[in-house]
Amino acid sequence: MRKIFFVLIISVIISSCATKKGYEGAVVGGTVGAAVGSVLDEENPWRGAFIGGIIGAVITGTIADVSAKAAEESYKYGKTVVYRCHHNCRKNVKIVAVPVGKGRCKIIHLKYFVNNRLVKIKKEKICKLKRKHW
């Protein structure tokens, strides 16, 4: 139990250094995957940590990057954006980004669906400065 707690503390410290959401998601997912993998593989915890870390980093990094891209596009175009993953994912994953509000700042509602079931709703505020063309 102490090992898992230590790994989670390290992941929070490392993820605070990440600048992009995809990287931050990959760091946290990789750390949690490594912790879970080391606990599940009793015969060789290092092997379990390695495999779990890679799987966790790839999956959560990809989802975080896709959701950030969906939020940016939803803000840019001012309409709902949908991303789906059918054939490369083990489950049917869908991310829906819905813009709310008008003007420079908008709140984007990110809805995460797995097998057409809503699993998470996240709100993200995006503000962009309009550039003056000289």
Side-chain angles (χ1 to χ4, degrees):
M1 190 66 175
R2 291 164 94 204
K3 187 183 347 179
I4 294 174
F5 182 71
F6 178 73
V7 168
L8 290 177
I9 294 296
I10 295 296
S11 72
V12 170
I13 292 170
I14 292 173
S15 69
S16 66
C17 299
T19 56
K20 283 186 143 183
K21 293 185 190 258
Y23 296 148
E24 184 178 324
V27 169
V28 173
T31 308
V32 172
V36 170
S38 68
V39 170
L40 292 179
D41 192 353
E42 294 174 359
E43 184 178 312
N44 189 350
W46 288 105
R47 177 183 59 199
F50 181 74
I51 294 170
I54 288 179
I55 292 172
V58 168
I59 291 173
T60 56
T62 302
I63 290 174
D65 195 39
V66 167
S67 66
K69 185 176 179 181
E72 287 288 326
E73 286 186 9
S74 179
Y75 173 83
K76 182 178 177 181
Y77 299 118
K79 60 183 180 179
T80 302
V81 175
V82 178
Y83 277 92
R84 290 185 176 94
C85 182
H86 296 289
H87 51 278
N88 290 338
C89 299
R90 290 183 187 175
K91 298 178 181 177
N92 184 8
V93 178
K94 180 170 73 171
I95 299 173
V96 179
V98 181
V100 178
K102 297 192 181 230
R104 188 175 68 85
C105 292
K106 292 181 185 174
I107 295 182
I108 309 296
H109 292 253
L110 292 165
K111 299 177 183 178
Y112 298 87
F113 294 89
V114 176
N115 293 329
N116 293 326
R117 198 174 120 228
L118 182 65
V119 252
K120 181 179 177 183
I121 297 176
K122 182 177 155 187
K123 294 180 184 178
E124 187 172 320
K125 185 176 182 179
I126 299 179
C127 295
K128 298 284 182 179
L129 295 174
K130 293 185 177 181
R131 295 183 181 177
K132 293 182 180 178
H133 298 286
W134 299 97

